[in-house]
Amino acid sequence: MIKTPTKLKISPKVDPTQEFIEIAYDFSNPLDLVREGISNAFDAGADEIEISFTVEKDCGESILKTIIKDNGHGMDLDGLQSFFDLGNSTRREDDEAIGEKGHGTKVYLNSSNIQVVTIHDGKKFTAIMDAPLRKLHNHETPDVEVTEEGTTERNGTTIIITGYNNNRRDKFTHSQLKDYILWFTKMGSCELLFKENKHENAILTLKGVDKKEAERIHFGHIFPNDSKKVEFLFEEFLAEAPKHYCKRIVKSGNLDNYPEIHYDAIFVVEGVKVKYGYNPMIRHSGYSAPSGAYTIQERYGLWVCKDFIPIQRKNEWITQKGSEYTRFHAFFNCQDFRLTANRSSVDNTPSEIMEDIRKAVVNIYEEIIQG
Ligand SMILES: Nc1ncnc2c1ncn2[C@@H]1O[C@H](COP(=O)(O)OP(=O)(O)OP(=O)(O)O)[C@@H](O)[C@H]1O
Ligand SMILES: [Mg+2]
């Protein structure tokens, strides 16, 4: 005899410790911590940011200490809660903000201690999470001890991370950090070219593990200026002339089939000598480049961007043969790109929109090639 079906219910649950670990490790490049810290500082309205990486000795052990400090609006207790929560973003409804997922600060969990000192309108909170990574691996959710006091200090947040990335510090040399900051964080945004001037005066003070003194870095990605006209370059450099050529093409527009979607693009056609002139991280013969240096093929070409921050290269959109793309230093920004959880790819973008974006890129490219 067939039994009447019984109704049951399952309420899906998540394993918090496992998910915290997944998200923390999903940021696969250790430098991502810098990008997330800078994005959060800008989202808090900061225009002064300090970042330092220092190695300290503790009972004979070398401990990496990272400090990220900003003069933004700071956090109240709810803000601090979302700082340590997963998927709890206070920025989700804010179109101007970079933050949207509530994932960024979880990159800090890959450490042995997180201390946050934040000042918001006369209140100062000091929050400490001890041994986050060890506790998570022991299936224990790490608690945060918070103390509150009154203060007359100005608003801002200081985050001190001890033992990040298992104290591995080869990536945190000054020149690698500076390069990363000017290419892959909000501090290196290309927005100034599109008359988006609100962060124009932002300053970041940086110190890598190999430096004693900090360096002040100004806002904005570095694009070289246009060179002389081609005929003058030929007179001066003969057959070498193309290596000295540089021309910027700045274009904004809307997609053909999604006319509400806007894009901003800059394509710089850049000869190799021009690149060597402003980018000390390019490896080439006769030059001893700092550690972490790269080749033109590894770095240049077309980058698609969100929040004016490069996310992913799409050289196949502009390359017909070989490494033709290396002539370009091109950024294409669209706020309708959908990013993966760790912000390393735009491939979550609906395919119809992606195809329209690709067409817009190809149009710009062909216009340049014809010119
Ligand atoms: N420097 C800071 N100043 C003020 N608030 C901050 C700062 N850093 C983090 N927060 C708070 O912590 C929350 C969580 O930060 P987190 O980076 O994890 O997520 P998000 O910025 O909202 O989104 P995303 O994952 O896209 O970065 C933020 O929404 C914000 O409220
Ligand atoms: Mg964030």
Side-chain angles (χ1 to χ4, degrees):
M1 209 173 69
I2 299 167
K3 272 199 347 198
T4 48
T6 340
K7 290 212 166 164
L8 304 164
K9 214 187 237 169
I10 291 176
S11 294
K13 290 194 282 289
V14 316
D15 175 345
T17 55
Q18 211 44 47
E19 281 311 300
F20 276 122
I21 290 178
E22 283 294 329
I23 298 295
Y25 282 157
D26 193 38
F27 292 99
S28 48
N29 180 357
L31 289 163
D32 289 347
L33 156 134
V34 173
R35 181 193 62 214
E36 295 306 318
I38 293 176
S39 292
N40 287 344
F42 276 105
D43 282 351
D47 61 2
E48 285 169 33
I49 304 170
E50 283 174 45
I51 297 182
S52 69
F53 287 83
T54 309
V55 178
E56 290 183 353
K57 292 273 180 221
D58 183 25
C59 303
E61 247 189 286
S62 296
I63 306 290
L64 179 64
K65 187 171 165 187
T66 309
I67 303 180
I68 305 173
K69 186 173 176 188
D70 71 65
N71 69 342
H73 55 53
M75 285 172 263
D76 56 14
L77 203 53
D78 287 342
L80 262 181
Q81 178 77 46
S82 71
F83 184 99
F84 290 102
D85 283 350
L86 176 60
N88 177 9
S89 174
T90 60
R91 312 284 183 221
R92 200 158 276 143
E93 306 303 319
D94 179 358
D95 278 349
E96 294 275 288
I98 307 164
E100 54 181 18
K101 297 181 191 291
H103 284 183
T105 56
K106 272 42 77 177
V107 70
Y108 307 145
L109 293 171
N110 181 6
S111 71
S112 56
N113 189 278
I114 306 170
Q115 180 178 0
V116 182
V117 181
T118 188
I119 298 164
H120 177 76
D121 296 350
K123 278 190 186 159
K124 176 175 180 172
F125 295 97
T126 304
I128 295 174
M129 181 187 262
D130 191 42
L133 199 59
R134 182 173 55 75
K135 287 183 181 162
L136 288 170
H137 279 298
N138 290 340
H139 298 284
E140 188 188 328
T141 307
D143 283 334
V144 183
E145 310 259 342
V146 185
T147 49
E148 178 186 338
E149 59 197 304
T151 182
T152 53
E153 292 170 77
R154 68 171 186 171
N155 286 350
T157 299
T158 306
I159 302 158
I160 304 168
I161 302 130
T162 309
Y164 176 64
N165 195 35
N166 219 350
N167 294 304
R168 272 200 61 191
R169 47 201 178 270
D170 53 304
K171 288 256 168 64
F172 304 121
T173 58
H174 194 83
S175 42
Q176 286 183 91
L177 282 162
K178 184 177 176 182
D179 177 73
Y180 181 86
I181 287 169
L182 288 175
W183 277 82
F184 301 117
T185 75
K186 189 64 176 174
M187 206 52 208
S189 161
C190 60
E191 68 199 54
L192 296 178
L193 292 161
F194 308 102
K195 310 274 179 285
E196 190 66 69
N197 291 343
K198 75 172 172 191
H199 300 306
E200 184 176 31
N201 297 319
I203 291 283
L204 184 142
T205 311
L206 174 71
K207 192 197 83 62
V209 279
D210 53 338
K211 281 267 161 37
K212 294 234 156 22
E213 304 274 305
E215 178 187 357
R216 278 161 65 85
I217 296 175
H218 293 270
F219 184 81
H221 184 72
I222 297 169
F223 291 103
N225 289 321
D226 283 3
S227 61
K228 293 182 198 164
K229 287 219 174 90
V230 196
E231 51 269 36
F232 297 120
L233 290 178
F234 272 112
E235 267 171 34
E236 201 176 334
F237 301 108
L238 307 168
E240 294 268 279
K243 296 186 178 168
H244 296 268
Y245 181 72
C246 179
K247 184 161 176 59
R248 293 182 185 191
I249 296 97
V250 178
K251 275 238 147 55
S252 296
N254 291 56
L255 300 183
D256 282 346
N257 297 311
Y258 300 87
E260 74 287 4
I261 299 184
H262 182 80
Y263 65 79
D264 292 301
I266 166 148
F267 279 59
V268 190
V269 185
E270 259 175 39
V272 284
K273 293 274 161 113
V274 177
K275 291 186 173 83
Y276 297 161
Y278 72 90
N279 187 344
M281 292 300 280
I282 304 174
R283 233 185 290 136
H284 54 100
S285 66
Y287 170 67
S288 114
S291 66
Y294 43 77
T295 62
I296 292 178
Q297 283 86 338
E298 283 164 340
R299 174 57 61 85
Y300 282 83
L302 169 73
W303 285 92
V304 289
C305 310
K306 188 172 186 196
D307 304 302
F308 297 96
I309 306 170
I311 306 291
Q312 187 180 7
R313 279 202 302 178
K314 289 280 181 194
N315 286 334
E316 63 280 15
W317 288 356
I318 58 162
T319 309
Q320 258 118 48
K321 53 179 194 298
S323 54
E324 224 177 4
Y325 65 85
T326 53
R327 279 190 291 163
F328 288 94
H329 177 185
F331 287 179
F332 184 99
N333 188 77
C334 181
Q335 289 307 101
D336 283 69
F337 278 127
R338 288 224 208 116
L339 307 186
T340 49
N342 63 5
R343 291 190 166 264
S344 69
S345 157
V346 297
D347 293 341
N348 280 352
T349 311
S351 58
E352 332 65 89
I353 296 180
M354 202 69 154
E355 182 51 20
D356 239 24
I357 291 175
R358 193 189 63 82
K359 281 189 196 142
V361 167
V362 171
N363 284 344
I364 302 174
Y365 172 73
E366 279 174 354
E367 218 176 285
I368 295 171
I369 294 301
Q370 272 150 31

